[in-house]
């Protein structure tokens, strides 16, 4: 029998901190490619992977639905992600030989989200009314169902531009045109160059449909070209600062300023190589390196110093996005510990209002403005 998170028998959550909106979680990737049943307790998931070596991070997962509820992560932007083999360089996830295969994979991921919704575990958020109602329920501690906004990380799986309208009708509300390497619609992390013609067409269709542009992973040239061509809502779901970690994956100060001018929000990412410089993926260990959440707060503070306020920061943890606890801050055991970021910000003098806006309010502002 499926468990219902609204079951009266469940203990009510204790709101020790503002509820959290995590703007980037690869839940379906973990379910279908890592074969993780995210409805189970984290200890069970880790134990089930003991001895597995097929993927980095086995046995060290930080995300499951029970831990999200325990940490009051009541809203999340969750991804569909399937790349084609035109991408080169670092490959944290599988690639597919054709767009049709990648599209089929995203459809499987969608089916998994819908199955969770039918079981009462999550609620797919597709409208402003959905969003505001669900946020109010978490604000008042009256639900433990996790609200999910669907985003596409890398657009390779869109067989044609026409597939975007089909995906929108299925609930897709945000798109990041690129992932790693050169893609079909944009150049991504570790690649250079501007938008190919299909990428410019994609942005026009996204704007027509009222979708959010996620600039995460875009090459520098694609970033600037996208902001020039696209006049709709924008965010950077999981990005840190190039001034602190000099890598193309991070946002330089001029890009941060451009996003602030568009009233965008930048989600702090918790992957070690995006937090500290001179990190070698697959080799550097957060415990040995002494990586703690305070280092993430330095990136958050850098954005606030540029903005002169706290309106443009949030959380886009990317936890279990192809890595495990060995590459996350060592004072974070599971996603339930995200609330510690608020405690660290309060220690720096942030008001309760600023902390709540960081936890959920800033991303809610962009989402509510974009959804109809």
């Amino acid at each position: 029998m499926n468990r219902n998170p609204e079951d009266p028998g469940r203990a009510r959550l204790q709101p020790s901190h503002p509820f959290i909106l995590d703007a980037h979680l690869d839940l379906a990737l973990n379910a279908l490619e890592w074969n993780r049943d995210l409805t189970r307790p984290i200890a069970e998931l880790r134990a089930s992977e003991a001895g597995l070596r097929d993927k980095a991070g086995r046995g060290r997962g930080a995300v499951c639905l029970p831990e999200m509820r325990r940490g009051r992560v009541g809203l999340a932007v969750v991804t569909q992600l399937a790349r084609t083999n035109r991408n080169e360089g670092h490959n944290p996830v599988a690639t597919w030989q054709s767009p049709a295969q990648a599209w089929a994979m995203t459809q499987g991921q969608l089916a998994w989200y819908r199955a969770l919704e039918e079981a009462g575990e999550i609620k797919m958020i597709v409208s402003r009314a959905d969003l505001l109602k669900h946020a109010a329920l978490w604000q008042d501690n009256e639900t433990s169902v996790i609200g999910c906004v669907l985003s596409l990380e890398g657009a390779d799986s869109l067989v044609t531009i026409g597939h975007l309208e089909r995906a929108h009708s299925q609930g897709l509300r945000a798109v990041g045109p690129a992932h790693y390497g050169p893609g079909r619609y944009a150049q991504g992390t570790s690649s250079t160059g501007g938008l190919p013609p299909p990428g410019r067409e994609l942005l026009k269709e996204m704007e027509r449909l009222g979708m959010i542009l996620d600039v995460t992973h875009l090459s520098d040239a694609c970033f600037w070209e996208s902001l020039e061509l696209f006049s709709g809502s924008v965010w950077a779901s999981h990005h840190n600062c190039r001034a602190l970690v000099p890598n193309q994956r991070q946002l330089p100060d001029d890009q941060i300023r451009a996003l602030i001018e568009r009233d965008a929000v930048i989600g702090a990412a918790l992957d070690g190589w995006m937090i500290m410089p001179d990190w070698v993926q697959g080799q550097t260990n957060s415990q040995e390196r002494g990586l703690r959440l305070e280092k993430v707060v330095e990136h958050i503070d850098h954005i606030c110093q540029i903005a002169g306020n706290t309106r443009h920061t949030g959380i886009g943890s990317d936890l279990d996005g192809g890595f495990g606890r060995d590459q996350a801050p060592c004072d974070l055991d599971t996603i339930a510990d995200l609330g510690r970021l608020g405690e660290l910000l309060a220690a720096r003098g942030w008001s309760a209002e600023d902390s709540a806006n960081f936890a959920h309010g800033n991303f809610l502002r962009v989402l509510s403005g974009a959804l109809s």
Side-chain angles (χ1 to χ4, degrees), residues 30 50 61 65 85 94 114 144 153-154 183 196 294 355 369:
N30 276 270
L65 301 186
N85 65 358
R114 286 178 169 169
S144 59
E153 186 174 21
E294 183 62 42
S355 294

Side-chain angles (χ1 to χ4, degrees), residues 258-270:
L259 290 171
I260 291 167
E261 290 175 4
R262 295 288 290 268
D263 199 30
V265 180
I266 301 164
L270 272 65

Side-chain angles (χ1 to χ4, degrees), residues 65 72 114 118 139 146 149 167 172 227 252 275 296 343 350:
L65 301 186
R72 304 198 77 230
R114 286 178 169 169
E118 290 174 2
Q139 190 73 51
I146 295 166
V149 178
L172 185 68
L227 285 194
I275 305 170
V296 181
E343 296 170 5
W350 280 42

Side-chain angles (χ1 to χ4, degrees), residues 22 24-27 30 36-42 45-46 60-68 73 317-321 323 325 332-336 338:
D22 191 329
H24 190 83
L25 289 174
D26 297 317
L27 299 185
N30 276 270
R36 287 171 167 167
D37 179 359
L38 298 183
T39 68
R40 307 309 304 162
I42 199 71
L45 294 182
R46 291 172 179 172
R60 297 189 291 270
V63 178
C64 65
L65 301 186
E67 290 300 299
M68 291 177 71
V73 185
S317 73
D318 198 21
L319 286 171
D320 293 354
F323 65 98
R325 292 166 61 224
L332 179 143
D333 181 50
T334 77
I335 194 170
L338 286 180

Side-chain angles (χ1 to χ4, degrees), residues 39-352:
T39 68
R40 307 309 304 162
I42 199 71
E44 288 186 17
L45 294 182
R46 291 172 179 172
S48 71
E49 295 179 359
L52 295 181
R53 298 290 182 268
D54 60 317
K55 296 178 184 291
R58 281 295 192 192
R60 297 189 291 270
V63 178
C64 65
L65 301 186
E67 290 300 299
M68 291 177 71
R69 295 187 181 101
R70 188 168 71 87
R72 304 198 77 230
V73 185
L75 277 162
V77 179
V78 299
T79 64
Q80 293 171 292
L81 172 56
R83 300 165 48 188
T84 62
N85 65 358
R86 286 186 56 182
N87 298 299
E88 301 170 356
H90 177 60
N91 293 308
V93 298
T95 59
W96 304 94
Q97 293 295 316
S98 71
Q101 289 170 278
W103 171 261
M105 186 63 188
T106 63
Q107 293 302 288
Q109 293 168 351
L110 176 64
W112 179 76
Y113 287 124
R114 286 178 169 169
L116 284 189
E117 186 171 38
E118 290 174 2
E121 298 277 359
I122 68 172
K123 163 70 176 174
M124 299 305 292
I125 304 296
V126 298
S127 68
R128 184 183 298 118
D130 286 345
L131 178 73
L132 298 180
K133 178 181 179 181
H134 196 80
L137 289 172
W138 271 92
Q139 190 73 51
D140 296 337
N141 196 36
E142 293 181 353
T143 187
S144 59
V145 174
I146 295 166
C148 294
V149 178
L150 195 60
S151 179
L152 182 65
E153 186 174 21
D156 286 359
S157 60
L158 297 173
V159 181
T160 69
I161 295 295
H163 280 68
L164 183 64
E165 185 169 14
R166 191 185 311 180
H168 182 269
S169 71
Q170 295 172 338
L172 185 68
R173 293 296 178 265
V175 176
H179 194 224
Y180 282 88
R184 297 178 60 231
Y185 293 95
Q187 313 308 317
T189 298
S190 301
S191 63
T192 59
L195 294 168
R200 293 190 285 273
E201 294 178 31
L202 177 69
L203 291 176
K204 292 178 182 177
E205 184 68 354
M206 286 174 58
E207 187 167 333
R208 183 184 74 82
L209 293 168
M211 304 181 80
I212 298 167
L213 169 64
D214 187 351
V215 300
T216 305
H217 285 294
L218 288 175
S219 70
D220 288 347
C222 283
F223 174 95
W224 291 113
E225 192 173 352
S226 295
L227 285 194
E228 181 179 350
L229 293 173
F230 185 83
S231 61
S233 298
V234 178
W235 66 30
S237 64
H238 55 304
H239 250 310
N240 292 340
C241 304
R242 200 176 298 184
L244 303 181
V245 178
N247 184 291
Q248 182 261 347
R249 175 63 179 84
Q250 323 303 330
L251 291 169
D253 288 358
D254 58 347
Q255 291 184 6
I256 293 172
R257 292 188 186 96
L259 290 171
I260 291 167
E261 290 175 4
R262 295 288 290 268
D263 199 30
V265 180
I266 301 164
L270 272 65
D271 194 342
W273 78 288
M274 295 177 59
I275 305 170
M276 299 181 75
D278 303 317
W279 186 286
V280 180
Q281 290 179 277
Q283 297 182 30
T284 306
N285 182 285
S286 60
Q287 189 73 42
E288 296 172 355
R289 189 69 186 275
L291 171 59
R292 302 182 68 82
L293 287 168
E294 183 62 42
K295 285 293 183 181
V296 181
V297 172
E298 293 177 9
H299 288 267
I300 297 164
D301 183 69
H302 184 80
I303 295 168
C304 293
Q305 294 301 321
I306 293 173
N309 56 58
T310 63
R311 285 175 49 86
H312 305 281
T313 60
I315 299 171
S317 73
D318 198 21
L319 286 171
D320 293 354
F323 65 98
R325 292 166 61 224
D326 55 321
Q327 202 159 297
C330 57
D331 51 343
L332 179 143
D333 181 50
T334 77
I335 194 170
D337 296 320
L338 286 180
R340 293 182 180 177
L341 287 170
E343 296 170 5
L344 293 170
L345 292 169
R348 288 182 175 230
W350 280 42
S351 69

